[in-house]
Amino acid sequence: MLLAAPAAIGAGLMVLYTLLITGADAITKAFAASYAAPQLFAVSGGIVAGLSLLATRVLRDDRGVRTHAPRAMALRSVTTVAGAVAFFHAFRLLPFAEVFLFIALIPIFAGILSGPVLSEPVRPQAWGGLALASMGVLVLFPSGLSSIGLGHLVALLAALLGTVSMLAARYICRIESNLLAQVFYPNAALMVVMALALPFVFQPMPLKDLAWAFSYGVILFGARWVLVGAMRVMPAYVVTPLINLQFLWMVLFGILFFAETPAASVFLGAGLMIAASAMLMRDQLRLRPMPASRPKSVVPAE
């Protein structure tokens, strides 16, 4: 029972994380219908960056937001900003649950590219997972590749940018353990870049929409914080499959808030994505069985 407690806590935190991150994505989709990306991200980036600075004070972390990997952090910041804008437009162009298939590609792409980029061994299971994931995307186009639209291409670009950001995060984690720096700099960059673009696209916002933008930043920071908590009680290779719960929330939110009912092909594609993730995680569990002591996991600060 004592050994089961951390797993139960970690699983509960992951359910909360997927709910929070899906809520943040839902706000993104709602904003995308009426506003340009800078009106959401200028506010939310500043909030997340500010909360990161506040957290260093509350935790009395003498490191603050200093980083020993400035170049990798700059790459992560640039790709995070570009990826956020790409996903913003993907949510505008595609049904809510359909975007999940492209979000799910990120850890699989990262697993494949970790070989040439990070000199990590790429096992055959990673290629099998990529094949399954590719099939998961292809089932979206039963009438052939001619049905690929702009939204799918934008979502694929967002996934590739997210992959580069994740690889940069993993590289930074090899050099330092200051996770708040990885939250602060990408969001500070997001705030600055979006604030510079804001005068060209600004539309007056009622107080209600401004409150939603503020809520987005708080929810996003809370989701990252909950993910850190989950990673502290369970290893990353156990936590990662639970992120697929996000698909269920996206389906539910799509039905409740956007009147979207996913096609059967979306469920089939998501099933293939989840199977690909399960294949990779099963391989990791076989390589690295669950330690009896409290694990020290590297948190992917997305």
Side-chain angles (χ1 to χ4, degrees):
M1 289 295 293
L2 290 176
L3 291 177
I9 293 171
L13 289 172
M14 284 308 300
V15 171
L16 178 58
Y17 167 76
T18 56
L19 177 59
L20 289 172
I21 202 67
T22 304
D25 288 341
I27 294 174
T28 300
K29 184 171 179 63
F31 257 76
S34 304
Y35 299 101
Q39 292 204 225
L40 175 63
F41 294 138
V43 175
S44 64
I47 290 170
V48 176
L51 288 174
S52 300
L53 291 174
L54 180 62
T56 63
R57 297 291 185 89
V58 172
L59 298 175
R60 297 181 180 179
D61 191 339
D62 294 334
R63 297 173 300 178
V65 291
R66 290 190 296 273
T67 178
H68 298 291
R71 292 182 180 178
M73 192 68 78
L75 176 63
R76 172 165 164 75
S77 299
V78 169
T79 52
T80 297
V81 172
V85 174
F87 269 121
F88 183 91
H89 289 288
F91 279 120
R92 171 182 285 172
L93 297 168
L94 294 177
F96 196 45
E98 203 166 300
V99 180
F100 168 82
L101 274 66
F102 293 91
I103 294 174
L105 282 174
I106 294 175
I108 297 170
F109 281 163
I112 295 297
L113 293 177
S114 63
V117 175
L118 298 176
S119 300
E120 296 176 352
V122 180
R123 292 173 57 82
Q125 287 81 353
W127 294 106
L130 180 62
L132 270 180
S134 300
M135 291 172 58
V137 173
L138 288 176
V139 297
L140 287 177
F141 316 109
S143 59
L145 297 182
S146 60
S147 58
I148 294 177
L150 177 61
H152 302 108
L153 296 176
V154 171
L156 179 60
L157 174 62
L160 291 172
L161 289 166
T163 300
V164 177
S165 179
M166 177 178 283
L167 290 173
R170 285 169 58 176
Y171 174 80
I172 294 167
C173 285
R174 290 180 172 182
I175 299 172
E176 63 185 18
S177 60
N178 189 358
L179 297 174
L180 282 172
Q182 291 211 47
V183 178
F184 172 77
Y185 286 106
N187 283 282
L190 189 64
M191 175 191 67
V192 171
V193 173
M194 294 297 108
L196 291 174
L198 189 56
F200 301 99
V201 297
F202 179 78
Q203 297 181 46
M205 294 175 65
L207 188 59
K208 177 183 176 182
D209 288 350
L210 188 60
W212 277 115
F214 183 87
S215 300
Y216 172 83
V218 174
I219 291 171
L220 192 62
F221 182 81
R224 304 307 184 208
W225 196 266
V226 169
L227 180 60
V228 169
M231 290 291 202
R232 290 190 185 281
V233 295
M234 290 198 306
Y237 57 85
V238 178
V239 166
T240 303
L242 296 176
I243 294 177
N244 289 318
L245 288 170
Q246 185 177 356
F247 176 71
L248 300 179
W249 293 121
M250 293 182 84
V251 170
L252 181 61
F253 279 41
I255 293 171
L256 292 178
F257 302 117
F258 304 107
E260 297 175 351
T261 302
S265 60
V266 177
F267 285 98
L268 177 58
L272 290 170
M273 289 291 186
I274 293 170
S277 177
M279 175 188 293
L280 296 178
M281 292 307 108
R282 183 174 180 272
D283 183 52
Q284 289 297 310
L285 283 168
R286 188 169 67 251
L287 290 173
R288 300 184 295 176
M290 173 84 78
S293 60
R294 181 179 174 178
K296 296 182 179 179
S297 301
V298 173
V299 180
E302 296 179 1

